[in-house]
Amino acid sequence: MIRITNLIILSILFFVFQVSGINFPDFWFEHITIADGLSQNYITDIKQDKDRLIWIGTKNGLNKYDGYKMTIYNHIQNDSTSIPNNYISYIYQDSKDNLWIGTNTGLCKYISEKNCFEQFNFETTDSPHSNYNISSLFEDRNNTLWIGTEEGCLISFDLNTEGLKIYRASQGIKAIEQDKSSLLIRGRNKGIIHFDPIEETFYQTAIDSTFNSETVTTIATDPKGNFWIGTQSHGFYLYGKNLNKLSGQTILDIHFYKDTFALLGTEEDGLACYNIYTDEFQYINNTHKNVNLNSEGITSLYVDSTQTIWIGTINGGINKFDPNRNRFVHLSLSPKYNTPSTIHCVFALETLDNQSILAGLNTKGVYSLDSRTYKIDNTAINQIAPQLSETTINTILKDSRGLL
């Protein structure tokens, strides 16, 4: 009788290894919609919090997603611990890990310990109006949270002292970023507005030296500190660089991926992926075969801590791309084995050192794989143990002494 001391269940696997590079991602999306518990399919914003939970704003409710379960938060009348309104306009996490939720009738902060919200009242003697339509949130280098509203108010909120100041711009404030000496603001109308926090004054500049009157839709900062300006019907600009791309398209959001790609969400033409270094584009929309993007209108983009891309759409819910899922390449032993009749199954895998992996095959012995170069070879092993060259290998184990 054979005594089995260790029960090892091995799936029959082909010899595959995950690879990555600077080529355009091979996009394939998982869809998250109302059928999966989402409160609405029109997405307004997406962010990840300190606990790696994904927060999704819609025109009808706030959603918290843990990868399996969707929790929906709605406004409850006369309940100050609920969100101020179901229309979620902006989601932002500050440097103190506070999660801020902007709605079209006010701002609130999520209290994770109690799973509820603290609503903020911005009513002052100078500004009796308190229920602002929040359109943008941004924390500067001095730990001041800047709050932009559709009513044209720029509100500074000191995260340390909770001191509050309200400034009035000439138009609604839609996006906020920071350069060396001022805040860059996307207004409701054309051009870029600046706010000087020291002088407490507003002034306006052109997008570049050629165009002064484009309607700005979004502002984003790349890893090198450059400002990317999305516009209505004129593509995007690199601020101060006289670079304009995708002219004729409306850009609703810009996000950066792996320091190499600019992801550009368009209003009607799906996703554009721009390689910053090669000046090449990849278009992801329904005009291309083998693309399952379920909406051509993209409202929001987000890249989480695992490099998963979350795409919010107009009436298509979430399109999620996980680069770590189903990204494999087949590695053949040699060209003569690369036919259906000569494919061999891998029955055992074991690490040899920090660079090499051993694979045991049926009827072909042991091969080593260089995990850096992906070179597969059995020459060295055959020299040490030639009797294994045509043997089926069921198990490989390296013990605590390093012996195989």
Side-chain angles (χ1 to χ4, degrees), residues 350-353 358 397-404:
E350 178 63 280
T351 57
L352 182 61
D353 50 42
L358 296 179
L397 175 67
K398 183 172 69 173
D399 66 20
S400 59
R401 297 170 296 172
L403 300 177
L404 293 169

Side-chain angles (χ1 to χ4, degrees), residues 1-41:
M1 184 178 72
I2 300 174
R3 182 180 179 184
I4 302 175
T5 57
N6 293 291
L7 180 60
I8 303 174
I9 302 174
L10 295 174
S11 299
I12 300 177
L13 303 172
F14 290 117
F15 208 6
V16 293
F17 289 87
Q18 184 176 345
V19 296
S20 61
I22 61 171
N23 295 327
F24 285 111
D26 185 12
F27 287 103
W28 186 260
F29 300 104
E30 172 190 349
H31 301 141
I32 303 172
T33 67
I34 57 174
D36 304 292
L38 197 62
S39 64
Q40 193 192 49
N41 282 337

Side-chain angles (χ1 to χ4, degrees), residues 104-119:
N104 65 352
T105 58
L107 179 70
C108 64
K109 181 173 69 173
Y110 179 60
I111 310 300
S112 59
E113 296 83 2
K114 299 180 179 180
N115 192 30
C116 67
F117 300 87
E118 178 186 358
Q119 297 185 16

